[in-house]
Amino acid sequence: MKQVRARTSNPYALSLLVMPLAALTGCAHSPTFSILGSYFPSWIICIVAAILLTVVSRLLLRRYNLERELGPLPLIYSCLACFFACTIWLLFFY
Amino acid sequence: MVDEDRRERHLSRRGWIISAAIVLAASLSALAVVIRTTSFPRTDDAEVFANFIGIAPLVEGPVVKVNVHDNEFVKQGELLYEIDDRPYQYALEHAQAEQAQLEGAIRDEALKIAGQRSGVLAAQAGAVSAEANARRAAAAINEAKADVSHAEAVIKQSQAEYDYANNNLQRIKPLLAKQFVTVDQVDEAESGVAAKAEAVRQAQARLTLAQAHLESAIAAQQQANANISQSTAQVQQSTNNISILDPLVAQRGAREAAVKKAQYDLDNCRVYAPFDARVTNLTISEGAYAHVGQQLFTLIDTRVWWAIANFRETQLQHVRPGMHATVYLMQKPDVPFDGIVDSVGYGVSPDPEVVGSLTPGLPTAQRTLNWVHLASRYPVRVRILHPSTELLRIGETAIVVMNGPHTQDGK
């Protein structure tokens, strides 16, 4: 189990974490996104990305049987989503 | 399984640490976000704005030349359009002719006045001449009086001589009978008497003539006096008759103003851009009839651009004039513009559901209340510091992010 974690955690986790962020990085960007003529605020983008990241995190945690050790799960995943959303916002939209 | 999970969780200290770390990280990041958004407010309720004017002619007439196209950028002083200037050219010429006519009338009147002044001088000379005539008449009277006296004296003398001759004749006549005197002597005495009598009559005639001369001289003096009165009256009359230029000179201002007005109208037939501008809403062509004050198209003043951002009243304490802000345009979201807060709005229309309608009479107050009130928003003018004339458009969607008090006066 430790071997599996050691072998796969770093590249997967890193790539999954970095890829969407890398797509967002670049020079300064307007905090509003245009999708087919409708403007969406940055926090919606952050929340969507955070939810996706949380789902990925849950998959990873379950895969490495770490979810069993955490609790209470509704609070943990809400906080994880909140953390991702806020961090992405702070990193890319401030 | 559930029991096993519970047991495992209770056993896993690492799990507790990770859970606590996640909760803590979430709280800290959320706190950071709240602090940042509070200190540096942002809004996507913003639009790009610039001043604009409706360009309207000051004179009316058909447009003969439109020098610009819709959406064209024009520099200050560039010709925008021309109105047919011929009627205004003619009006200017008419006004100038009237001005010249007035100047001619003034010169003419000045000559007349000079003539009238000469007439006064002539009348004064006439008065002097009349006085001289009067003096001459007085001298003539004296001369005539002297003639009369002389004639009277001559009469007396010739009367005395006649008396003597007659007495002598009466004395010698009786002596002829006794032959003491000759006939010739008597004849001589008689003819002497006749001659003396004739001399008396002649002297009387001279007296009559001298008296007639005296009367004539008196009449001449009266005439001369009458002439003095007449010429004095003529002097006064001609003095009073001198015209003055004032009524004509007073018209000069009006004529000059008419020329200036005509020139102003003529100049306004050609309309120039008052500032660097973008032509907008141009829908006319040559031949369109331009009315005074009726705008033909719109000019957007491209010198100063603003993003007008509506900030919530709770955010206004972090928005001060002089603060810097970043403005993003949705037209090109990856280009940030530096902006500076010019001013913060001081008034928006009150919400009729809160204040009620502001009508005369008694105020209306709502009886139903909302539990949740929404914050009012006030427009903040953020001047875009280095505007790009290509990108900025009035009404464009913008996002304004305050950068805080970066400048000295923003503190």
Side-chain angles (χ1 to χ4, degrees):
Chain A
M1 191 161 147
K2 271 189 178 178
Q3 278 182 339
V4 172
R5 196 190 311 149
R7 196 180 62 212
T8 56
S9 71
N10 286 343
Y12 265 91
L14 271 178
S15 63
L16 282 171
L17 199 88
V18 165
M19 268 173 63
L21 301 185
L24 292 173
T25 49
C27 52
H29 191 278
S30 147
T32 296
F33 285 85
S34 168
I35 298 172
L36 294 177
S38 303
Y39 299 147
F40 290 87
S42 55
W43 54 266
I44 287 186
I45 310 295
C46 293
I47 285 175
V48 170
I51 288 169
L52 291 176
L53 282 175
T54 310
V55 169
V56 171
S57 311
R58 179 157 192 259
L59 293 176
L60 289 173
L61 288 172
R62 282 177 73 92
R63 179 160 183 170
Y64 303 125
N65 286 325
L66 265 173
E67 196 182 44
R68 291 162 174 271
E69 300 181 28
L70 303 176
L73 289 181
L75 178 67
I76 292 304
Y77 284 120
S78 304
C79 284
L80 202 56
C82 172
F83 167 73
F84 281 134
C86 292
T87 308
I88 292 170
W89 191 88
L90 286 171
L91 282 176
F92 298 104
F93 297 107
Y94 170 69
Chain B
M1 183 71 182
V2 174
D3 289 345
E4 196 181 28
D5 278 355
R6 201 171 285 158
R7 185 171 50 81
E8 266 192 345
R9 273 183 204 147
H10 279 295
L11 287 176
S12 168
R13 204 177 153 184
R14 182 178 63 171
W16 276 114
I17 289 171
I18 292 175
S19 302
I22 287 172
V23 172
L24 189 67
S27 307
L28 287 176
S29 60
L31 188 66
V33 167
V34 167
I35 287 172
R36 294 241 79 122
T37 49
T38 306
S39 308
F40 305 106
R42 55 181 59 203
T43 182
D44 55 359
D45 182 13
E47 280 194 346
V48 173
F49 184 78
N51 293 334
F52 59 90
I53 61 163
I55 194 92
L58 295 170
V59 294
E60 69 171 13
V63 176
V64 293
K65 188 178 178 191
V66 180
N67 214 33
V68 292
H69 303 102
D70 201 13
N71 300 325
E72 185 180 331
F73 180 76
V74 289
K75 302 290 284 181
Q76 183 178 11
E78 221 169 282
L79 178 66
L80 297 175
Y81 59 90
E82 278 182 47
I83 290 170
D84 190 2
D85 64 351
R86 282 171 294 177
Y88 300 100
Q89 183 68 47
Y90 305 151
L92 175 63
E93 284 165 11
H94 179 72
Q96 283 169 337
E98 284 197 331
Q99 195 181 25
Q101 186 193 8
L102 176 67
E103 292 303 321
I106 287 173
R107 280 197 297 276
D108 185 41
E109 193 67 22
L111 286 178
K112 273 188 195 159
I113 288 172
Q116 286 164 346
R117 291 212 172 112
S118 305
V120 171
L121 292 177
Q124 283 169 343
V128 171
S129 160
E131 281 173 11
N133 280 343
R135 280 197 293 277
R136 198 164 61 211
I141 286 173
N142 290 336
E143 190 186 334
K145 280 181 182 167
D147 278 351
V148 167
S149 302
H150 177 68
E152 283 171 351
V154 169
I155 285 175
K156 280 177 188 166
Q157 185 189 0
S158 53
Q159 186 69 44
E161 283 176 353
Y162 170 76
D163 288 347
Y164 170 74
N166 199 24
N167 290 344
N168 195 31
L169 177 62
Q170 297 307 325
R171 267 194 310 270
I172 65 172
K173 235 181 194 175
L175 296 180
L176 182 63
K178 292 173 186 174
Q179 297 287 323
F180 288 123
V181 289
T182 62
V183 175
D184 180 58
Q185 280 175 320
V186 172
D187 282 348
E188 191 186 354
E190 279 179 345
S191 60
V193 168
K196 297 299 177 190
E198 197 57 39
V200 168
R201 276 196 297 277
Q202 204 175 2
Q204 280 172 335
R206 278 200 189 123
L207 175 63
T208 307
L209 183 65
Q211 283 170 337
H213 278 160
L214 177 60
E215 282 177 11
S216 162
I218 289 171
Q221 190 188 29
Q222 282 172 346
Q223 190 191 6
N225 286 338
N227 277 345
I228 288 177
S229 303
Q230 189 190 3
S231 37
T232 307
Q234 275 177 352
V235 168
Q236 277 186 345
Q237 187 193 15
S238 51
T239 307
N240 292 337
N241 268 352
I242 292 180
S243 309
I244 51 171
L245 282 174
D246 294 4
L248 289 174
V249 171
Q251 290 180 36
R252 268 186 177 149
R255 300 289 168 97
E256 199 181 348
V259 170
K260 282 181 183 167
K261 172 74 169 69
Q263 183 70 52
Y264 176 78
D265 286 346
L266 181 63
D267 292 345
N268 279 313
C269 287
R270 297 163 72 85
V271 180
Y272 299 94
F275 41 73
D276 291 356
R278 185 70 74 171
V279 177
T280 307
N281 203 19
L282 171 62
T283 57
I284 56 155
S285 288
E286 284 84 357
Y289 196 84
H291 293 278
V292 173
Q294 187 180 326
Q295 69 178 63
L296 294 179
F297 51 87
T298 303
L299 286 184
I300 296 172
D301 183 354
T302 57
R303 293 171 298 181
V304 184
W305 288 88
W306 291 278
I308 295 193
N310 296 321
F311 280 101
R312 287 195 291 271
E313 53 199 335
T314 51
Q315 297 171 319
L316 289 182
Q317 56 179 321
H318 300 287
V319 178
R320 294 262 183 284
M323 283 182 176
H324 278 257
T326 306
V327 178
Y328 296 95
L329 307 175
M330 287 315 290
Q331 190 187 165
K332 206 162 184 186
D334 51 348
V335 179
F337 288 91
D338 190 17
I340 192 162
V341 176
D342 257 4
S343 58
V344 179
Y346 278 90
V348 291
S349 297
D351 185 359
E353 299 213 342
V354 176
V355 180
S357 51
L358 296 168
T359 50
L362 295 175
T364 55
Q366 295 293 322
R367 299 185 179 205
T368 56
L369 299 175
N370 288 329
W371 285 8
V372 177
H373 289 257
L374 296 179
S376 294
R377 286 173 176 266
Y378 286 88
V380 172
R381 267 183 189 253
V382 178
R383 182 158 44 85
I384 298 171
L385 285 180
H386 304 290
S388 144
T389 53
E390 292 302 317
L391 277 179
L392 291 162
R393 292 174 164 84
I394 291 182
E396 206 176 354
T397 308
I399 295 100
V400 173
V401 180
M402 294 302 302
N403 290 342
H406 280 186
T407 52
Q408 295 88 335
D409 55 344
K411 292 273 183 192

